[in-house]
Amino acid sequence: MTITKQDTDAVRALQVLEDSRSSVRLRAALAVGTTPDPRFIGTLLERCAVEPEFFVRDMLTWALTRHPVSLTLPELIRTVHCEQPQARSQALHTLSKIGDRRAWPVITRELLCDADDEIARTAWRAAVVLVPEGEEPALAAVLATQLGRGNRETQLSLSRALVALGDVIVPALRAATSPPDVRAHSLATQRLLHDPDTGFEFAIEEAKRVVALGGDGQEGR
């Protein structure tokens, strides 16, 4: 088989994906994505599982999206079921970027409620992209079970995912009335739904005051 310059460049790019310098790895991921080749999908996925730098991981995701969906989709779905947390999270992130709803069945309730915050957050983001038409209320009901979870960053991620679903989330949010931290998160999310320009920090602190005073947060609505 004749080895072309294109082949040589791609192979070299894959080798330098393991370079100790993040800037070099970033350029390598760019090079692979610029000249996509199905032979390198497995290597890109393997690197996603261990790459420590966010910007390089994002470039690896971009490189994967440059390959045929018919080839990447089965591999990404398989990776979602692997044991490595970062590999699972990055596979979910890539699925959200591809946006092919054939991946929806991989978004299980167990995944949306995963004990690992990063995996759960990535699953929430992927879910709102992949959810089939008509399944939004059911998804909102599952996401609402996670209200009050984690730190502010995690709670903001959940609120953003819920708000992305639109008004269908209102029944699930209104049903989340206890404990106090869950109720406050629910009220803050409702505030963001009706007033997207409200900052989350302001919304959550206001919601906490409402809960402490025994209000229902519906005044004036």
Side-chain angles (χ1 to χ4, degrees):
M1 181 179 70
T2 302
I3 299 177
T4 66
K5 181 179 186 298
Q6 186 179 40
D7 290 331
T8 303
D9 290 346
V11 170
R12 182 178 181 280
L14 290 174
Q15 291 173 338
V16 297
L17 282 173
E18 299 181 358
D19 194 278
S20 60
R21 296 162 292 180
S22 61
S23 60
V24 173
R25 299 197 303 276
L26 184 68
R27 289 195 297 271
L30 174 62
V32 174
T34 300
T35 311
D37 186 321
R39 292 176 298 173
F40 305 137
I41 291 174
T43 302
L44 290 169
L45 286 168
E46 290 172 7
R47 188 62 206 173
C48 282
V50 296
E51 172 55 51
E53 296 294 333
F54 168 80
F55 292 110
V56 180
R57 291 199 303 273
D58 222 33
M59 188 64 76
L60 291 167
T61 282
W62 173 79
L64 283 164
T65 65
R66 295 269 297 159
H67 290 78
V69 175
S70 60
L71 299 178
T72 56
L73 196 64
E75 294 302 313
L76 289 166
I77 289 173
R78 178 187 59 78
T79 303
V80 170
H81 296 293
C82 80
E83 294 184 358
Q84 292 175 276
Q86 183 171 301
R88 297 171 66 197
S89 178
Q90 199 64 23
L92 286 165
H93 175 63
T94 306
L95 286 172
S96 74
K97 294 298 184 182
I98 292 173
D100 192 311
R101 287 181 170 175
R102 287 177 295 177
W104 170 246
V106 81
I107 309 295
T108 62
R109 185 186 185 97
E110 290 73 22
L111 193 61
L112 294 168
C113 303
D114 197 281
D116 185 302
D117 283 347
E118 187 57 35
I119 290 174
R121 289 171 56 195
T122 314
W124 301 337
R125 291 193 294 268
V128 299
V129 172
L130 301 175
V131 61
E133 186 175 353
E135 294 291 331
E136 295 91 347
L139 174 59
V142 176
L143 293 179
T145 67
Q146 302 302 293
L147 288 165
R149 168 179 174 167
N151 58 23
R152 289 293 171 86
E153 187 178 9
T154 298
Q155 292 184 10
L156 174 58
S157 292
L158 180 60
S159 290
R160 284 174 171 168
L162 283 161
V163 168
L165 294 174
D167 289 339
V168 299
I169 68 174
V170 173
L173 292 178
R174 289 183 174 171
T177 57
S178 63
D181 60 334
V182 169
R183 187 180 175 204
H185 193 185
S186 171
L187 292 176
T189 304
Q190 291 179 64
R191 175 66 182 269
L192 292 175
L193 177 65
H194 292 102
D195 185 4
D197 293 330
T198 301
F200 181 72
E201 194 68 26
F202 175 82
I204 196 71
E205 290 302 325
E206 182 185 65
K208 285 182 176 181
R209 287 193 293 271
V210 169
V211 171
L213 294 171
D216 62 8
Q218 304 302 316
E219 295 83 354
R221 293 185 186 172

